[in-house]
Amino acid sequence: MELFTVSDRAKRYQADLLAFMDECVYPAEAVYEEQIRASGDPHHHPPVLEELKAEAHRRGLWNLFHPNPQWGPGLTNLEYAPLAEIMGRSPHLAPEACNCAAPDTGNMEVLTLFGTAEHQEKYLKPLLAGTIRSAFAMTEPAVASSDATNIELRIERDGDEYVLNGRKWFASNAMHKNCAVLIVMGKTEQEGPVHRRQSMVVVPMDAPGVTIVRSLPVFGYLDREGHAEIDFRNVRVPATDLLAGEGEGFAISQARLGPGRIHHCMRAIGVAERALELMCLRADARVTFGLPLSERSNIQDWIAEARVEIEMTRLLTLKAAWMMDTVGNKAARTEIAAIKVAAPSMALEIVDRAIQVHGGAGVTDDVPLARFWASLRTLRLADGPDEVHKRAIATHELRKHRAAVRSGHTASIEGGEQR
């Protein structure tokens, strides 16, 4: 398809990244697990990651996501999509090794677009250099946060400061040993238009009144980066730490979440490819009732269906990336919503079948499938649950249909006849 032709520079980055994965990342996976296990701390920052980061930087595989050539290679979304997919094959190592991990990518974009010169000097530059990490605090335990207008954390002006009071949870990355800053969404107004009540503020992790309540397990896993529940009690920050101005929080969140969602989907496709590879290897290696599993028709069906589903989802994701590049994130919002529904569910199904082919081994930590499953199942909730995205897609489709009806440019069937 000429529409999705890969540029020469993107091909070079793909080749370099594949070599980095084979030569450095995959061999480091066992070392990574052993270093965390030996530390006794599930949030330990293993030294092997710093080694991978240094090597990725040396190879020029750094900040690949960033569209600004000042900070990275300046790739388009369409060029970056296959790279994010490749990194997704080792989701706990490769994205951070290349400084392309969530939520830092989204936070860097927010600080680039809306941060002050001080924010960019204090936080953006170290994030771009990979010397610190960050977290994004929007979701709350007491309200349905899939509707961001529900959030209750208060951000109140007091002279030259803002005072924050409330509680957040699932602040991913907040347990990372290098996490230095939070971007927090809360309410600065209780009245007025519902989408103008929210604001975002930059909060240092060590600000007085910021308390980590707990690290939340996900399906029994305590991810190294963590999903923290955080209490904000009379947390004071300078008024200059408000991003873009009061009432701009919802607009900032939409600017941030669009690219973040497509990055998640790209990585999910990479997870699906890794799971399919593991499924094929296992199916060839295991014999039951005199035949390899790979000779069983139902296993062959699973393998064939996985390839079809991956290719369909990849094409939809590439279309969304192409639209983001050509007509902008807002015009591509329906396609972004569609892939956010499709990619995690597709990958989850393939991982589930790979677990089944592995038998008892599939649910252990001897292979990465159980952890893949937990992460993907969580992704069906992260950055908006499936139902919210389906609602957005349906609203768009109904709006198109109703406009066509009003203009008379539609076919209808009445009494069994089309007219």
Side-chain angles (χ1 to χ4, degrees):
M1 295 179 65
E2 185 177 349
L3 179 64
F4 298 144
T5 299
V6 180
S7 68
D8 288 340
R9 70 169 178 171
K11 288 178 183 176
R12 288 194 297 271
Y13 276 107
Q14 286 180 42
D16 292 345
L17 185 56
L18 285 168
F20 177 61
M21 297 291 288
D22 289 338
E23 296 165 13
C24 303
V25 175
Y26 298 135
E29 289 179 334
V31 179
Y32 167 90
E33 296 292 346
E34 178 54 34
Q35 288 179 349
I36 294 176
R37 194 162 37 243
S39 75
D41 178 3
H43 304 303
H44 176 68
H45 184 64
V48 71
L49 253 175
E50 291 302 319
E51 295 168 14
L52 288 172
K53 286 165 64 177
E55 181 63 18
H57 210 297
R58 188 187 70 78
R59 295 184 182 215
L61 299 171
W62 194 256
N63 291 341
L64 298 171
F65 76 96
H66 209 295
N68 188 332
Q70 180 182 356
W71 306 117
L75 301 173
T76 65
N77 286 294
L78 189 58
E79 290 175 317
Y80 178 63
L83 305 181
E85 178 185 323
I86 292 168
M87 287 184 279
R89 297 177 189 179
S90 185
H92 299 291
L93 274 78
E96 183 170 357
C98 296
N99 213 39
C100 294
D104 291 330
T105 52
N107 290 343
M108 284 188 259
E109 288 170 351
V110 167
L111 292 170
T112 299
L113 293 170
F114 306 106
T116 65
E118 182 182 355
H119 293 145
Q120 292 174 0
E121 186 66 32
K122 187 175 182 179
Y123 298 119
L124 178 59
K125 287 185 178 179
L127 282 168
L128 288 162
T131 56
I132 67 170
R133 298 293 304 272
S134 64
F136 184 64
M138 184 175 76
T139 306
E140 297 181 2
V143 296
S145 303
S146 57
D147 177 359
T149 63
N150 282 335
I151 62 170
E152 294 179 339
L153 182 138
R154 298 292 295 271
I155 303 175
E156 297 174 305
R157 185 71 180 255
D158 183 17
D160 292 333
E161 296 179 316
Y162 281 100
V163 183
L164 283 70
N165 280 284
R167 183 165 290 207
K168 298 289 185 180
W169 72 345
F170 287 101
S172 298
N173 218 40
M175 302 302 298
H176 195 291
K177 300 301 183 183
N178 297 337
C179 188
V181 64
L182 296 158
I183 294 178
V184 183
M185 186 170 179
K187 276 187 177 174
T188 43
E189 294 290 340
Q190 298 301 309
E191 305 295 335
V194 293
H195 292 96
R196 295 288 302 169
R197 300 175 189 175
Q198 303 82 19
S199 300
M200 284 196 190
V201 64
V202 175
V203 180
M205 279 295 296
D206 60 359
V210 174
T211 303
I212 303 291
V213 177
R214 57 176 172 153
S215 178
L216 291 157
V218 175
F219 290 103
Y221 288 102
L222 280 172
D223 288 344
R224 177 177 56 84
E225 304 90 344
H227 307 283
E229 183 171 354
I230 306 176
D231 188 57
F232 297 82
R233 187 164 300 181
N234 295 321
V235 177
R236 290 182 172 271
V237 297
T240 52
D241 280 346
L242 192 77
L243 291 170
E246 291 191 8
E248 297 296 327
F250 196 84
I252 295 172
S253 71
Q254 293 308 298
R256 181 193 185 283
L257 292 172
R261 285 170 181 147
I262 194 169
H263 294 174
H264 277 311
C265 294
M266 294 164 179
R267 287 189 291 267
I269 295 169
V271 173
E273 284 282 11
R274 182 87 181 270
L276 176 55
E277 177 184 333
L278 291 170
M279 179 164 39
C280 290
L281 290 170
R282 181 75 172 192
D284 267 342
R286 277 295 194 265
V287 174
T288 63
F289 308 105
L291 284 175
L293 289 174
S294 57
E295 295 299 315
R296 305 294 177 185
S297 60
N298 65 316
I299 305 299
Q300 291 182 353
D301 282 350
W302 288 355
I303 292 169
E305 289 164 5
R307 173 51 58 208
V308 172
E309 290 157 6
I310 288 172
E311 296 301 329
M312 289 192 300
T313 308
R314 181 182 287 121
L315 282 172
L316 184 57
T317 304
L318 289 173
K319 181 191 176 187
W322 172 75
M323 288 187 67
M324 291 170 71
D325 291 334
T326 55
V327 295
N329 297 354
K330 185 175 181 180
R333 62 187 180 275
T334 299
E335 284 72 19
I336 294 171
I339 61 170
K340 182 57 176 64
V341 173
S345 294
M346 174 276 295
L348 193 63
E349 179 67 19
I350 292 171
V351 169
D352 187 75
R353 289 176 171 178
I355 290 171
Q356 198 72 9
V357 171
H358 278 73
V363 299
T364 72
D365 287 342
D366 289 358
V367 290
L369 294 169
R371 187 178 287 274
F372 285 172
W373 191 95
S375 296
L376 289 165
R377 184 61 187 84
T378 307
L379 189 54
R380 290 188 58 204
L381 295 166
D383 284 0
D386 291 355
E387 291 72 21
V388 169
H389 296 298
K390 288 178 181 178
R391 178 175 179 265
I393 296 166
T395 299
H396 177 72
E397 289 299 313
L398 287 166
R399 189 181 296 123
K400 285 196 306 183
H401 171 72
R402 289 163 183 164
V405 169
R406 286 194 299 271
S407 66
H409 296 140
T410 186
S412 63
I413 298 177
E414 294 181 2
E417 296 182 359
Q418 185 170 340
R419 64 185 180 89

